[in-house]
Amino acid sequence: FPESITSEQHSLVLVKKLLAISVSCITYMRGLFPESSYGTRYLDDLCLKILREDKSCLGSLQIVKWIRGCFDALEKQYVNLGFYALSSNPTVTEMYQFKFKYKKKVPQMDISSNRRELVAGLCSKGVKQASRLLIRTLYLLLQDLGPLPNDITLSMKLLYYNDVTPNDYQPPGFKEDGSCADLLFAGDPVNLRVGSVSTDFHFVKVRVTTDNKRVRKPDSNLIQKNGPTEISHQGLDCEEEEEEESTKVNLLNLAFSQEEVIGSEKKRKVSEPEKLLLNSRK
């Protein structure tokens, strides 16, 4: 991670690394690709497995392309939400959400000493601590998930901020999402809050949704109670005040249709790459 977050570029590098490490962590811990598809890095005492371009594994090559496409949307500050879904037809088994926000830096100052560099240093330290905590929490959570079905499909979607994203924009490797079918989450889905990291320029939040029965030792601090019953293009990641509403759900309807949900609000722009079939997992 960058030693200091003093510019928008440093912040962007951090967000990219968080995304790449998290996706690598998910694919490794869920046994999607062979060991040869990963390199080894260390974050303090935590051993990280990072996806690399393994020409012997077309699946890992495809995921690396997906990540780079998301990087392009992050650089342009277009992407609002990215998510990876592991599905066993016709239902979603697990879903991983990455929420992105962009903000303008407000100069901070230590009034008593007038030393901006001191405040910046403290903020950078807190960002790195939050990043480490997010990754550790994700690793621990993935260790407690039950095994995946044999017939699993990995898909990804990117949702954008409509007010700044050109209508014809598509990240490299992506296409317009033309799917009209709903993705259904069977069972008793539970939202698990992994964590968030905030800098002066970016905010990223990660959460996992899966069937409650598939979490072997659920941590009550991670569980987001009374999760949403319907998630649409207008808001896959509901705001906090909306999360406090709703009731217990038996079926989470991931409404990936182009229906308008909130008045006459413009339909959310959505991109997706080709789905990835994972029939021969390690």
Side-chain angles (χ1 to χ4, degrees):
F1 292 122
E3 286 301 317
S4 61
I5 311 296
T6 57
S7 69
E8 186 173 359
Q9 183 60 33
H10 290 156
S11 180
L12 178 62
V13 169
L14 174 70
V15 173
K16 286 181 176 180
K17 288 189 174 183
L18 281 174
L19 176 64
I21 292 172
S22 298
V23 174
S24 297
C25 171
I26 293 165
T27 60
Y28 183 80
M29 297 298 290
R30 305 311 284 139
L32 301 187
F33 305 119
E35 189 76 24
S36 61
S37 296
Y38 299 87
T40 301
R41 297 289 186 273
Y42 289 90
L43 179 62
D44 296 335
D45 60 341
L46 185 62
C47 179
L48 304 176
K49 295 294 184 177
I50 308 299
L51 269 171
R52 61 185 179 186
E53 291 182 304
D54 178 11
K55 294 182 179 180
S56 65
C57 179
L58 295 179
S60 65
L61 285 173
Q62 187 64 43
I63 297 299
V64 171
K65 290 180 181 178
W66 291 6
I67 294 173
R68 287 175 176 167
C70 191
F71 283 176
D72 185 83
L74 280 169
E75 291 169 2
K76 294 178 171 62
Q77 299 191 355
Y78 290 163
V79 64
N80 167 239
L81 182 71
F83 74 90
Y84 295 78
L86 288 167
S87 307
S88 180
N89 290 333
T91 58
V92 176
T93 303
E94 296 171 6
M95 186 173 71
Y96 301 86
Q97 293 187 43
F98 296 84
K99 177 86 171 183
F100 303 104
K101 293 182 180 180
Y102 313 94
K103 46 189 178 178
K104 300 297 182 182
K105 181 178 179 180
V106 177
Q108 292 179 308
M109 182 180 295
D110 183 337
I111 298 176
S112 60
S113 63
N114 196 29
R115 294 179 61 190
R116 298 189 185 191
E117 64 273 13
L118 175 61
V119 175
L122 292 174
C123 292
S124 298
K125 182 178 179 180
V127 167
K128 286 186 286 187
Q129 289 177 341
S131 301
R132 294 188 185 103
L133 179 60
L134 185 153
I135 294 169
R136 286 180 180 276
T137 301
L138 182 59
Y139 261 85
L140 292 174
L141 188 156
L142 290 168
Q143 289 176 359
D144 289 333
L145 293 181
L148 290 169
N150 291 326
D151 58 331
I152 203 75
T153 299
L154 177 61
S155 59
M156 180 186 182
K157 291 183 187 288
L158 296 179
L159 284 73
Y160 304 91
Y161 288 101
N162 278 357
D163 55 340
V164 296
T165 307
N167 290 332
D168 60 351
Y169 172 76
Q170 294 296 341
F174 283 73
K175 62 181 181 179
E176 183 178 356
D177 176 22
S179 173
C180 294
D182 290 350
L183 296 179
L184 301 179
F185 218 127
D188 183 13
V190 59
N191 285 326
L192 303 172
R193 289 177 286 205
V194 177
S196 62
V197 176
S198 182
T199 74
D200 287 331
F201 306 94
H202 297 88
F203 173 82
V204 58
K205 178 169 63 175
V206 182
R207 74 178 57 185
V208 179
T209 304
T210 188
D211 186 347
N212 188 42
K213 294 180 180 179
R214 303 190 68 256
V215 185
R216 292 168 181 160
K217 296 179 295 182
D219 186 337
S220 59
N221 293 323
L222 298 180
I223 295 177
Q224 175 194 312
K225 298 181 180 179
N226 298 330
T229 58
E230 181 173 309
I231 303 178
S232 71
H233 280 170
Q234 278 67 22
L236 268 166
D237 180 280
C238 296
E239 298 301 329
E240 298 301 328
E241 59 269 18
E242 294 173 342
E243 292 169 353
E244 297 175 357
E245 301 174 358
S246 187
T247 57
K248 181 179 179 181
V249 295
N250 293 318
L251 179 68
L252 182 61
N253 177 17
L254 305 180
F256 299 129
S257 65
Q258 286 288 355
E259 294 179 0
E260 308 232 344
V261 176
I262 306 176
S264 59
E265 182 178 345
K266 186 178 181 181
K267 298 173 184 176
R268 180 76 72 91
K269 177 179 173 63
V270 185
S271 295
E272 65 174 358
E274 295 294 332
K275 291 182 175 60
L276 187 60
L277 301 177
L278 303 169
N279 294 324
S280 56
R281 297 185 288 121
K282 67 176 182 177

